[in-house]
Amino acid sequence: MIKKVRSHLEHTSLRVQIWGKAAVGLYLWQHIFEGLLEPADVTAQWREGSQKAGKTHFSFITGPSVVPGYFSVEADNVVLVLNGREKAKIAYATQWLHYAQTLIQTRKIQRVAVVLLGNEQCNNEWIQPYLKRHGGFVNLLFVTYDYTLVNEEDIFQWPLGVATYRNFPVVEPSWSMLHDPRSYLCNFLGTVYKNSSRETLLEILKQDGLDKLCWIAAREQWQPQETNESFRNYQDALLQSDLTLCPVGINTECYRIYEACSYGSLPVVEDVMTPGDCGNSSMYHSAPLQLLKTMGAPFIFIKNWKELPAVLEKEKVKSLQEKIQRRRKLIEWYRNFKAWMRQKFINTLENSFLPSDKG
């Protein structure tokens, strides 16, 4: 009997409930954990899923009906997924943190980790007082972008992922995605901001007539909500292009990088730091995109769009066989990247939340 109990304890020693209060939570659950949600309807008020991983049983809840005090807290350990991009979002995130703090104080839960969609300029000071190291209650912080305070002890870099807020799907690679010739050398569908490197990019494409070989659709204003048609166009462009051009926005890291990987279109990434407080952490010295570089992302990194014509000239002479090999490598890398992030997330939670056996 003791053996039975022990083996059961070893199999699941940890129960973790994830509260998905930012769209980046769907990337964590559906893309990295490959978890399912019921109901499948993305507009549902309440969606949930669960899975066993390592020694941990995870449950995930999301949707507008997940409101502090109005759902049952079913685990000692909580992962709170929050949006800290701007003032209004931070005010909402803070309410959730206060709710979690109350649950800790009343011993309803024991430990809290936060997955944070960070500010694009890495202004995340507001969350510091909540961290355990500063006298707060948050054991672990997983945060997007090259935040300088990432230390691999209690603060970890987390990938931005795909635009789940626009319902970007989990893409299963098909035979044709890997093997078919693609109609375009490259694509860029997006907003072109005044005096940005994106303007330079478009000028360079036009000068050399390269825009005829690429799927280019530029607009002047950012649209958070795509129409069905524009979103289908975007997915088609990724599927029909060998390369996806990824100019910097407010941050170097953008959804487009991960979305291109999903469709086997190689990201050509503008590898420059953007204004703000992002930069090298004590752990990595390859900002921007330290996480992707550390994980050996097989992208084309360029410092200036003037390098693009040479890249496209090389592309013109690549055989289909070479392109197929490259697509396989990219899709394989992306699959491994997500699996590694999942394992790292689980290990980090277990190492921090499970009582150590060191006596």
Side-chain angles (χ1 to χ4, degrees):
M1 200 173 114
I2 288 170
K3 261 187 188 160
K4 248 187 186 169
V5 170
R6 186 175 289 155
S7 78
H8 177 71
L9 280 174
E10 278 166 8
H11 286 139
T12 16
S13 320
L14 202 60
R15 295 188 78 79
V16 174
Q17 193 175 34
I18 305 172
W19 303 346
K21 295 313 299 177
V24 71
L26 294 174
Y27 185 66
L28 165 71
W29 188 252
Q30 294 181 301
H31 294 252
I32 288 182
F33 268 71
E34 296 179 343
L36 298 174
L37 285 176
E38 290 288 330
D41 174 11
V42 296
T43 62
Q45 292 293 300
W46 174 283
R47 302 173 76 201
E48 61 185 291
S50 63
Q51 85 169 243
K52 168 95 167 47
K55 297 174 181 171
T56 306
H57 181 273
F58 287 96
S59 56
F60 181 92
I61 54 173
T62 191
S65 288
V66 180
V67 176
Y70 288 88
F71 64 92
S72 64
V73 179
E74 290 171 0
D76 284 343
N77 308 286
V78 166
V79 175
L80 193 42
V81 186
L82 300 172
N83 183 335
R85 271 223 168 150
E86 62 201 28
K87 276 209 168 77
K89 303 286 188 194
I90 291 169
Y92 181 67
T94 303
Q95 290 173 8
W96 275 97
L97 284 164
H98 288 165
Y99 175 57
Q101 189 168 26
T102 305
L103 293 179
I104 290 246
Q105 286 162 348
T106 54
R107 304 193 187 283
K108 301 273 194 326
I109 61 175
Q110 290 179 8
R111 287 166 290 262
V112 175
V114 169
V115 175
L116 180 67
L117 176 67
N119 172 277
E120 287 171 285
Q121 295 177 321
C122 294
N123 303 326
N124 302 313
E125 279 61 45
W126 67 275
I127 196 143
Q128 288 297 324
Y130 295 98
L131 302 186
K132 218 162 192 169
R133 62 163 54 230
H134 298 301
F137 62 93
V138 173
N139 298 68
L140 301 167
L141 173 65
F142 300 86
V143 59
T144 59
Y145 305 120
D146 294 294
Y147 190 37
T148 56
L149 297 183
V150 165
N151 56 18
E152 294 290 319
E153 289 167 23
D154 61 338
I155 304 176
F156 302 84
Q157 189 164 349
W158 192 250
L160 178 64
V162 302
T164 44
Y165 71 92
R166 287 204 285 239
N167 301 320
F168 191 91
V170 175
V171 180
E172 290 301 333
S174 63
W175 193 91
S176 64
M177 187 195 292
L178 281 166
H179 296 89
D180 286 358
R182 299 192 171 193
S183 315
Y184 300 94
L185 281 189
C186 72
N187 76 76
F188 174 69
L189 282 70
T191 315
V192 177
Y193 306 102
K194 282 262 170 279
N195 306 319
S196 70
S197 69
R198 297 179 177 203
E199 279 191 333
T200 316
L201 167 58
L202 289 190
E203 280 161 23
I204 285 166
L205 284 168
K206 279 184 187 136
Q207 267 166 22
D208 297 4
L210 295 167
D211 55 341
K212 308 279 186 295
L213 305 171
C214 294
W215 184 332
I216 306 295
R219 56 175 181 232
E220 286 180 9
Q221 270 199 317
W222 182 71
Q223 292 173 324
Q225 294 309 326
E226 298 278 351
T227 62
N228 282 343
E229 188 193 3
S230 73
F231 191 49
R232 256 199 315 277
N233 265 346
Y234 174 59
Q235 287 173 287
D236 281 348
L238 297 176
L239 189 53
Q240 290 298 326
S241 312
D242 289 312
L243 307 174
T244 291
L245 307 180
C246 302
V248 301
I250 300 171
N251 194 285
T252 313
E253 190 175 1
C254 59
Y255 298 115
R256 192 188 314 272
I257 293 172
Y258 298 89
E259 292 164 349
C261 290
S262 301
Y263 281 102
S265 180
L266 190 74
V268 179
V269 178
E270 184 181 7
D271 185 17
V272 298
M273 284 303 300
T274 45
D277 296 328
C278 302
N280 289 321
S281 67
S282 59
M283 299 307 295
Y284 306 112
H285 306 285
S286 51
L289 308 175
Q290 325 182 87
L291 179 61
L292 291 169
K293 287 175 184 168
T294 304
M295 292 304 298
F299 307 161
I300 296 173
F301 292 98
I302 62 178
K303 293 289 182 195
N304 190 309
W305 288 114
K306 287 175 185 160
E307 298 169 44
L308 183 62
V311 169
L312 294 181
E313 284 307 317
K314 263 192 199 164
E315 209 51 34
K316 284 181 195 170
V317 297
K318 269 200 180 359
S319 70
L320 179 59
Q321 207 44 50
E322 288 176 292
K323 289 176 178 180
I324 289 170
Q325 282 304 105
R326 184 176 65 188
R327 272 180 228 164
R328 280 181 188 283
K329 184 180 164 189
L330 177 64
I331 284 170
E332 179 74 3
W333 173 84
Y334 185 48
R335 197 173 66 224
N336 290 337
F337 171 76
K338 289 185 289 185
W340 187 83
M341 290 310 303
R342 176 179 182 266
Q343 201 48 53
K344 181 175 181 178
F345 185 74
I346 294 164
N347 291 349
T348 305
L349 289 184
E350 289 182 352
N351 290 341
S352 174
F353 288 1
L354 280 175
S356 71
D357 301 329
K358 289 168 193 158

